[in-house]
């Protein structure tokens, strides 16, 4: 299940006999390529040992809000930020009531309040408890707040009753978790993205380039596909695999990237320029390796085309989104680029920091548009990319 590859799933387990089925769920999620961290309530540990989940998830199990050793160097806020999705399976009637009240006196409750990620619950309880007005009102409240309710199924229950309240089978829960990442916000649209560095050759063995790894652009490609778009990723040289369902066009130089982008523009709705394109290239490329027989070597550089500016100049109908890689006066330069390059949105990152930006797994950005801005706090590039894809979809839809 490709949608779950490289996803960070926080699995909450509460006190229900269905806790044993969560063992299979952990295995299925890991088989799909997800990294799983388990948070257990005290009641859950009465049903299955934390050691079982530690072995299956290959991560420490988190149990207590204020126990430093149990949290194993990851506090509730870090866990909440780490998660791409929080899934509570099984969710007992009590845990649902606590969620509805917004309680934060245990680790799972605190994580659910603190996470920006989608939260899904798979209820598991006796059919009478499920049908009780209190539970139904709690479920309606959680749904209204945007939580995803997975199931429950109807059938034989551990207590001998028959009816609604059985936890969904792990296989079905896995499919529904995968569905959380498919928002459909960009369905039917074609999004062209540039990513990575460009290599500007000096001679057959040397080139001018920069530290871009391509991670930000590739994460965006994954995010727009999850949002339902067709994505063409025009990529400079990177070591990254082609993301699922993405059509990748490989280029080396800024000029090649320019040509490849322009070829796609007549059929493009949204263009996102995440590549770190070399602004200059050697005026001449030597066909032979340059020998080190001179004390000084002067390279003459000429300007490369500005791909983004050429897109907005020749295709004003395309919704153009740029990045601004700045090392100071971030807001000033980013908003200047927003208007100079006639962009709908610009995403600014501070590349003077070593913990975000170039070649880092994380980023922290400020998104600017005419008349507004929004800060996205530090998070993994895939998490930032999903937030950006949602914002771009909103702005695009408003503009139509
Ligand atoms: O690849 P990673 O390691 O994940 O790092 C991500 C990143 C830091 C490269 C990315 O987040 C980022 O900031 N990309 C834009 C880098 C950049 O070139 O910024 P700029 O401020 O110099 O350019 C402004 C915009 O014009 C960018 O959208 C850029 O893609 C575009 N541009 C620039 C020059 C040029 N010749 N053609 C362009 O299209």
């Amino acid at each position: 299940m490709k949608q779950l590859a490289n996803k960070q799933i926080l699995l909450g387990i509460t006190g229900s006999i269905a806790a044993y089925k969560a063992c299979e769920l952990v295995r299925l999620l890991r088989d799909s390529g997800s990294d799983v961290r388990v948070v257990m309530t005290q009641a859950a540990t009465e049903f299955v040992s934390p050691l079982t989940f530690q072995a299956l998830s290959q991560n420490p199990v988190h149990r207590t809000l204020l126990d430093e050793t149990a949290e194993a160097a990851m506090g509730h806020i870090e866990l909440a930020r780490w998660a791409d999705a929080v899934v509570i399976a099984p969710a007992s009637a009590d845990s649902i009531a606590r969620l509805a009240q917004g309680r934060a006196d245990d680790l799972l409750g605190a994580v659910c309040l603190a996470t920006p990620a989608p939260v899904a619950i798979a209820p598991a309880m006796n059919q009478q408890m499920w049908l009780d007005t209190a539970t139904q009102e709690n479920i309606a409240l959680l749904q209204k707040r945007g939580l995803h309710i997975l199931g429950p199924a109807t059938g034989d229950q551990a207590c001998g009753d028959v009816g609604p309240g059985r936890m969904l089978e792990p296989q079905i829960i896995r499919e529904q978790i995968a569905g959380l990442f498919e928002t459909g916000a960009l369905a039917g649209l074609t999004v062209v993205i540039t990513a990575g560095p460009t290599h500007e050759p000096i001679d057959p063995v040397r080139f001018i380039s920069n530290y871009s790894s391509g991670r930000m652009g590739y994460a965006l490609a994954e995010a727009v596909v999850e949002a339902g778009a067709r994505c063409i990723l025009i990529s400079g040289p990177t070591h990254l695999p082609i993301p699922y369902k993405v059509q990748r066009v490989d280029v080396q130089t800024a000029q090649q990237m320019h040509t490849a982008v322009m070829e796609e523009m007549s059929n493009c709705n949204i263009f996102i320029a995440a590549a770190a394109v070399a602004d200059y290239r050697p005026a001449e490329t030597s066909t032979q390796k340059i020998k080190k027989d001179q004390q000084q070597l002067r390279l003459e550089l000429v300007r490369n085309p500005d791909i983004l500016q050429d897109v907005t100049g020749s295709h004003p109908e395309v919704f153009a989104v740029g990045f601004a890689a700045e090392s100071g006066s971030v807001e000033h330069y980013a908003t200047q680029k927003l208007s100079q390059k006639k962009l709908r949105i610009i995403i600014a990152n501070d590349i003077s920091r070593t913990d975000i930006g170039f070649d880092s797994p994380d980023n922290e950005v400020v998104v600017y548009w005419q008349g507004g801005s929004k800060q996205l706090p530090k998070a993994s590039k895939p998490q930032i990319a999903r937030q950006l894809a949602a914002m771009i979809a909103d702005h695009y839809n408003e503009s139509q």
Side-chain angles (χ1 to χ4, degrees), residues 232-248:
I232 299 162
L233 177 64
I234 299 175
S235 174
T238 73
H239 297 290
L240 302 174
I242 302 176
Y244 176 56
K245 279 194 186 167
V246 167
Q247 182 186 332
R248 189 173 77 178

Side-chain angles (χ1 to χ4, degrees), residues 194-197 210-217 254 257 271-279 304-309 321-326 337 341 343 346-349 351 356-360 363 365 381:
T194 62
N210 56 64
Y211 292 111
S212 171
S213 63
R215 281 168 144 163
M216 192 66 247
M257 189 175 270
F271 174 59
I272 308 175
V277 185
D279 289 317
N304 268 325
D306 190 312
I307 303 168
L308 185 52
Q309 196 141 8
V321 178
F323 271 77
E326 306 298 344
K337 284 175 185 169
K341 297 198 183 202
L343 307 177
I346 194 150
I347 301 152
N349 40 201
I351 44 101
I356 59 164
F358 277 115
D359 200 18
S360 159
N363 213 352
V365 302
K381 282 180 178 166

Side-chain angles (χ1 to χ4, degrees), residues 9-305:
I9 309 290
L10 190 143
L11 181 61
I13 300 169
T14 69
S16 157
I17 182 62
Y20 80 92
K21 288 191 188 175
C23 300
E24 174 69 355
L25 181 57
V26 174
R27 194 189 63 74
L28 289 171
L29 290 170
R30 282 189 50 84
D31 282 355
S32 304
S34 293
D35 189 4
V36 182
R37 285 185 176 265
V38 173
V39 172
M40 296 181 82
T41 64
Q42 182 57 38
T45 62
E46 309 285 338
F47 290 91
V48 182
S49 152
L51 268 181
T52 307
F53 287 109
Q54 181 169 316
L56 288 168
S57 68
Q58 294 184 14
N59 278 316
V61 170
H62 306 264
R63 285 187 281 166
T64 318
L65 185 56
L66 299 174
D67 178 344
E68 282 172 29
T69 49
E71 287 200 33
M74 240 204 190
H76 64 285
I77 298 296
E78 281 93 345
L79 274 174
R81 287 189 186 141
W82 173 87
D84 291 325
V86 175
V87 180
I88 304 180
S92 64
D94 180 61
S95 68
I96 290 170
R98 296 168 70 82
L99 275 180
Q101 286 178 359
R103 297 275 291 267
D105 55 356
D106 70 357
L107 180 58
L108 189 55
V111 165
C112 287
L113 282 185
T115 189
V119 178
I121 63 170
M125 68 198 74
N126 163 269
Q127 52 95 20
Q128 201 59 54
M129 291 171 80
W130 169 253
L131 293 171
D132 188 89
T133 311
T135 305
Q136 288 303 308
E137 285 183 0
N138 287 335
I139 288 288
L141 187 60
L142 294 178
Q143 253 168 338
K144 199 170 129 206
R145 289 187 197 147
L147 272 76
H148 304 266
I149 314 296
L150 316 182
T154 298
D156 293 339
Q157 301 204 302
C159 56
D161 282 5
V162 179
R166 274 171 64 100
M167 189 172 92
L168 291 178
E169 292 307 313
Q171 183 76 33
I172 297 174
I173 295 178
R174 174 173 68 164
E175 279 165 24
Q176 298 201 2
I177 297 172
L180 294 179
F181 295 102
E182 291 179 353
T183 65
L186 294 169
L189 301 178
T190 297
V191 180
V192 176
I193 298 176
T194 62
T198 61
H199 285 186
E200 309 299 329
I202 298 169
D203 69 10
V205 294
R206 304 176 180 99
F207 54 81
I208 296 173
S209 190
N210 56 64
Y211 292 111
S212 171
S213 63
R215 281 168 144 163
M216 192 66 247
Y218 277 58
L220 274 162
E222 271 178 2
V224 301
V225 165
E226 281 170 10
R230 168 176 172 256
C231 178
I232 299 162
L233 177 64
I234 299 175
S235 174
T238 73
H239 297 290
L240 302 174
I242 302 176
Y244 176 56
K245 279 194 186 167
V246 167
Q247 182 186 332
R248 189 173 77 178
V249 179
D250 291 324
V251 297
Q252 298 280 327
T253 66
Q255 287 174 301
Q256 290 168 358
M257 189 175 270
H258 185 271
T259 307
V261 167
M262 289 305 164
E263 275 174 12
E264 301 296 342
M265 279 308 108
S266 54
N267 208 7
C268 166
N269 302 103
I270 298 172
F271 174 59
I272 308 175
V277 185
D279 289 317
Y280 292 90
R281 67 177 184 276
E284 282 175 20
T285 301
S286 169
T287 54
Q288 301 295 319
K289 182 180 172 190
I290 298 171
K291 298 289 177 201
K292 57 175 182 201
D293 46 13
Q294 306 167 48
Q295 279 309 315
Q296 286 194 340
L297 178 67
R298 283 183 196 282
L299 279 181
E300 193 190 338
L301 302 178
V302 293
R303 276 288 290 270
N304 268 325

